[in-house]
Amino acid sequence: MNLKLYALFMAMFFLEGITYSQFLNLDSIKNDIAKTPASEKPEKWLKVAGEIATIDFKLADKYAHEALSYFQKNNHIPGIAKSYTVLGDIYLNNNLLEDALLYYEQAMRIQQQTGDAGAIAYLYNSMGMIFYYQNDIKNALNQFNKARNIAHRKSVTEEATALNSMGNCYRRLGQPDSAKNFYQQSLLLLRDQKEDKLLARTHQNIGLLEYERGNYEQAVESYLRAKELNQKIKDKKGEGIVYNNIANVYYAWGKYQQAATFYQQALQIFENIGFTQGIASAYSNLGNTFIKLNDFNAAREYLEKALSERLKMGNKREIANIYLTLANLFSQINNEQNTKIYGDKNWEKIILQHKTSAQVLQQYKTALDYNEKALEIGREIGDKRLIASCLNNIGTIYSLAGISGKALDFYEQALKINREIDNQADVVVNLLAIGIIHNFNGNYEKAREYFTESLNLARRLQKTDMEKDIYYNLSVMYENMGNCTKALSYFKNYANLKDTLLNKETFKQIAELKTKYETEKKQQEIELLNKDKKLKENQIRQQRMAIIFFIVLTLVISALIVLLIRQNEQRKRTNKALAEKNALITEQKKEITDSIQYASRIQKAVLPPEEAISNFFS
């Protein structure tokens, strides 16, 4: 029996108050702050510090401390409290939980004096999240309950936030009914409020809860509501989380290619907004998915990236999840090797004919080590779901090695925990595994008991692939008992269900090909429409340019004509003035000439002739 991968990597992100934007530019932010008047800078520092908390921690810390220093110098009490709160948010969003708690406590001391109910409730909710991340659920619930009581009828946002967080705590404790009750209370509270972001988060939490209970249709319904709300308010971070969780549902249904597509969409959004926690989660999820797609190189690449990110954050639960996934990866690699050596059918049964138990354990040593590392962390932080998954996987390795006593012990521990937390999807697997061990040991009545319970639950959960495996093992059990009639009957059920699944898979592939064809056809139509649109746009642009050119040309020609007319008028006026001056000069010249001639006649009349003068004066 192949190791079953458990979907423990579904991370919900509850941090609020941070504005994630793919358009944030630190240089423009710095320039904007430099231009801000001195009196307005402290508020600007705090606002920017919150926005860049996960993008540039040092700069966010610097701005928040500058605001704190300013308010302290001016003894501005509300500003001091707000600065401490923003510092707490910055450190919480960077997983520096102890420091964040200290800042929140300093802010709380001030706010309790001011009596601001909304601010106090926010601080209790924030401190509750610190205890939640530290897996101190008792203290977390205490903080959330305080926030709920203080915010009642005073702050819908903080009261609904507290209800959501309390639901998360009870979900973590394995009490799904209590968890859903708190989520429903949050929905009722937000029914007539304009709190789309918080409403989206509530639907997201319900989706996660329904997923964990095996109610996939209800989970998808809740996720889609959350997606619509996030798109409405343009919350990219929330949208990325929804894509991540929708992919988880596809993964649970065995639609791994679709899951990979949605994980890639989530990763792209997280990378664009710089959301490191989301990036790490997407890496981990893609690693799991590529394991299922038998692309082990890609799987290992993504898992190593995920582990690197998780180790930086120091979140033990997420580190344990990566260890668990790496354990599954190496188990799958070993399973593939054994399949090639011993054949596709029942290699688990014949491997011990060629290897000793010690040799099988040595082959799976790396997988076993990673499972034990994850189990150690799971017990340390008290995560029951994680513990159950590790126990089941370790049990499977011992089962492969033929050490049935140890295998049965681990399976029964896992079953007990999964029953406690109402994890019915995994209960089916645990029951089947225990039934197989009892069948192997000849305890047929116990094997039949476990197989029957597993079959009934698988039918109720509509897990057809598990039904098929249970029918096969029932057939083997009755064959071992010598009851050939029942063995044949269950084998027929197995064969029919196998054919049904094969037909469903065939129809699914045909449907996918049809969808792909229709999508490509629509895409071609869209491309043609876009080409026509661009052509028309070019034609309109050319016409517009021609009209503009004609208008400009007309204006230029009109301006030239006006200029020529003015120049002509000016020339006429100039010529007229010149003509008048020429006439005056001519008249004056005539007068001068007449005067000269008149003087000459007088001179000739007075003086003797030139010949007479020449005769007397040689």
Side-chain angles (χ1 to χ4, degrees):
M1 178 173 61
N2 292 339
L3 290 180
K4 181 182 182 298
L5 177 62
Y6 289 86
L8 291 172
F9 43 85
M10 298 186 61
M12 287 298 297
F13 310 104
F14 308 111
L15 305 184
E16 299 295 335
I18 302 299
T19 302
Y20 294 92
S21 172
Q22 58 185 337
F23 303 110
L24 283 178
N25 184 296
L26 293 179
D27 290 333
S28 64
I29 287 174
K30 292 176 183 177
N31 292 332
D32 183 44
I33 289 177
K35 296 175 182 178
T36 302
S39 61
E40 299 176 11
K41 277 188 177 179
E43 289 294 335
K44 177 75 77 172
W45 281 329
L46 291 179
K47 180 178 180 295
V48 169
E51 291 175 343
I52 65 173
T54 58
I55 298 173
D56 191 327
F57 166 73
K58 290 183 178 179
L59 186 59
D61 183 58
K62 175 177 176 290
Y63 284 150
H65 272 101
E66 286 179 347
L68 176 62
S69 177
Y70 175 88
F71 288 129
Q72 286 174 332
K73 288 178 182 177
N74 292 275
N75 197 32
H76 190 279
I77 303 302
I80 295 171
K82 186 175 181 180
S83 298
Y84 280 132
T85 301
V86 172
L87 281 165
D89 292 340
I90 293 169
Y91 279 75
L92 176 58
N93 282 312
N94 285 278
N95 206 38
L96 300 170
L97 304 182
E98 297 297 334
D99 292 324
L101 185 60
L102 291 175
Y103 284 122
Y104 285 139
E105 288 173 344
Q106 288 176 296
M108 180 66 80
R109 283 192 286 269
I110 298 172
Q111 295 293 12
Q112 285 178 333
Q113 295 175 2
T114 65
D116 187 338
I120 293 172
Y122 177 84
L123 290 168
Y124 276 129
N125 274 325
S126 300
M127 289 189 288
M129 288 310 307
I130 292 174
F131 291 119
Y132 180 87
Y133 288 135
Q134 292 175 335
N135 208 45
D136 187 351
I137 304 302
K138 182 180 178 180
N139 271 331
L141 278 169
N142 183 41
Q143 298 294 320
F144 295 140
N145 196 45
K146 288 180 181 179
R148 177 192 180 187
N149 292 334
I150 290 173
H152 185 59
R153 298 186 184 281
K154 296 176 183 177
S155 173
V156 172
T157 300
E158 295 307 323
E159 186 178 359
T161 298
L163 289 167
N164 262 294
S165 298
M166 292 175 79
N168 294 332
C169 288
Y170 282 105
R171 182 175 56 80
R172 178 74 63 81
L173 290 171
Q175 300 179 35
D177 291 336
S178 297
K180 191 163 187 179
N181 178 47
F182 281 106
Y183 294 146
Q184 294 291 355
Q185 289 184 55
S186 180
L187 287 179
L188 287 173
L189 187 63
L190 296 169
R191 183 172 52 189
D192 299 322
Q193 304 293 324
K194 294 182 179 179
E195 289 280 357
D196 289 335
K197 186 170 185 177
L198 193 50
L199 192 61
R201 195 175 75 183
T202 307
H203 284 299
Q204 179 86 338
N205 289 341
I206 294 173
L208 179 58
L209 177 67
E210 296 298 347
Y211 169 87
E212 291 180 345
R213 299 176 79 175
N215 301 326
Y216 299 134
E217 290 184 5
Q218 292 91 325
V220 170
E221 183 179 346
S222 294
Y223 286 146
L224 290 175
R225 288 178 185 172
K227 175 176 172 289
E228 290 171 0
L229 288 164
N230 284 320
Q231 289 178 334
K232 177 183 175 183
I233 61 177
K234 298 180 180 179
D235 181 0
K236 299 302 293 182
K237 175 192 169 191
E239 186 181 350
I241 293 172
V242 171
Y243 279 129
N244 183 77
N245 285 356
I246 290 175
N248 288 335
V249 176
Y250 278 119
Y251 184 94
W253 280 348
K255 300 177 181 180
Y256 305 118
Q257 195 60 57
Q258 292 93 321
T261 300
F262 277 98
Y263 285 137
Q264 289 285 6
Q265 288 180 314
L267 177 61
Q268 185 176 3
I269 291 174
F270 294 148
E271 287 178 336
N272 287 340
I273 64 177
F275 184 32
T276 54
Q277 194 171 355
I279 293 169
S281 179
Y283 281 149
S284 176
N285 295 343
L286 282 164
N288 282 293
T289 306
F290 279 109
I291 289 174
K292 288 295 185 181
L293 292 170
N294 292 324
D295 189 344
F296 298 136
N297 291 330
R300 188 169 184 176
E301 179 184 349
Y302 279 116
L303 290 174
E304 287 175 351
K305 289 181 179 179
L307 182 60
S308 176
E309 293 293 330
R310 292 302 186 192
L311 288 172
K312 290 176 187 176
M313 297 176 188
N315 188 312
K316 290 184 178 180
R317 176 174 289 98
E318 301 304 336
I319 292 171
N321 288 340
I322 301 298
Y323 284 146
L324 194 62
T325 308
L326 284 167
N328 181 73
L329 171 62
F330 284 102
S331 291
Q332 288 290 87
I333 291 172
N334 290 329
N335 292 346
E336 289 292 317
Q337 291 175 351
N338 290 330
T339 300
K340 290 178 181 178
I341 295 171
Y342 305 114
D344 292 337
K345 295 182 179 179
N346 300 325
W347 64 264
E348 296 97 332
K349 291 184 177 180
I350 65 173
I351 188 173
L352 290 175
Q353 297 174 12
H354 303 273
K355 290 185 177 182
T356 64
S357 296
Q359 288 174 329
V360 174
L361 287 178
Q362 183 61 35
Q363 181 184 4
Y364 285 85
K365 185 178 184 305
T366 304
L368 189 61
D369 288 344
Y370 276 122
N371 273 306
E372 288 174 346
K373 284 183 179 181
L375 178 60
E376 182 180 354
I377 295 175
R379 284 172 172 163
E380 181 183 344
I381 64 178
D383 189 326
K384 291 184 177 180
R385 189 179 183 87
L386 174 61
I387 294 170
S389 296
C390 295
L391 291 170
N392 184 81
N393 288 353
I394 293 172
T396 300
I397 292 175
Y398 280 108
S399 178
L400 288 173
I403 308 175
S404 58
K406 274 194 171 185
L408 188 61
D409 180 51
F410 282 111
Y411 283 144
E412 287 176 342
Q413 290 182 59
L415 175 62
K416 182 181 178 181
I417 294 172
N418 281 323
R419 286 192 194 277
E420 289 175 1
I421 63 176
D422 196 29
N423 184 7
Q424 297 191 46
D426 292 347
V427 167
V428 174
V429 179
N430 297 149
L431 290 168
L432 175 59
I434 293 172
I436 291 172
I437 295 292
H438 283 303
N439 184 35
F440 179 77
N441 290 334
N443 301 323
Y444 301 125
E445 187 56 34
K446 282 190 175 181
R448 186 191 63 78
E449 179 184 336
Y450 282 103
F451 286 150
T452 302
E453 185 180 355
S454 179
L455 179 62
N456 292 335
L457 187 55
R459 285 171 175 169
R460 186 163 65 82
L461 296 176
Q462 298 180 352
K463 295 183 73 66
T464 311
D465 57 334
M466 291 301 301
E467 284 186 64
K468 173 178 65 68
D469 292 339
I470 297 167
Y471 281 136
Y472 176 78
N473 282 283
L474 279 165
S475 174
V476 172
M477 182 195 73
Y478 279 110
E479 183 182 358
N480 293 338
M481 293 172 65
N483 190 336
C484 297
T485 303
K486 282 194 174 182
L488 180 60
S489 174
Y490 280 112
F491 188 83
K492 286 180 178 179
N493 290 339
Y494 159 76
N496 291 334
L497 206 54
K498 184 178 180 181
D499 291 339
T500 300
L501 287 172
L502 182 61
N503 290 335
K504 284 183 178 179
E505 184 64 26
T506 302
F507 286 134
K508 184 184 76 172
Q509 291 176 357
I510 292 172
E512 289 174 353
L513 287 171
K514 183 179 179 182
T515 302
K516 183 179 179 182
Y517 168 75
E518 290 176 351
T519 302
E520 290 176 352
K521 185 178 180 181
K522 288 180 180 178
Q523 185 63 33
Q524 290 176 353
E525 291 175 355
I526 291 170
E527 289 176 359
L528 287 172
L529 288 172
N530 287 336
K531 286 180 180 179
D532 291 340
K533 183 180 177 182
K534 288 181 180 179
L535 183 60
K536 289 180 180 179
E537 287 176 352
N538 289 333
Q539 291 175 346
I540 292 171
R541 185 163 52 251
Q542 290 174 357
Q543 291 174 355
R544 189 181 295 115
M545 291 297 296
I547 292 170
I548 293 171
F549 176 77
F550 178 75
I551 292 171
V552 171
L553 182 62
T554 302
L555 291 174
V556 170
I557 292 173
S558 299
L560 288 173
I561 291 171
V562 171
L563 181 62
L564 289 171
I565 290 171
R566 288 183 178 178
Q567 288 179 345
N568 187 51
E569 293 294 329
Q570 181 65 31
R571 190 163 49 251
K572 285 181 178 180
R573 287 193 294 270
T574 302
N575 290 338
K576 183 178 179 182
L578 287 173
E580 290 176 351
K581 288 182 180 179
N582 288 334
L584 180 60
I585 292 170
T586 302
E587 183 64 27
Q588 290 176 347
K589 181 179 178 182
K590 184 175 180 298
E591 290 177 357
I592 293 170
T593 303
D594 289 345
S595 298
I596 292 172
Q597 290 176 350
Y598 180 72
S600 176
R601 284 197 296 272
I602 293 172
Q603 183 180 356
K604 287 181 180 180
V606 174
L607 294 175
E610 186 179 350
E611 293 84 359
I613 292 174
S614 298
N615 291 331
F616 290 103
F617 300 98
S618 59

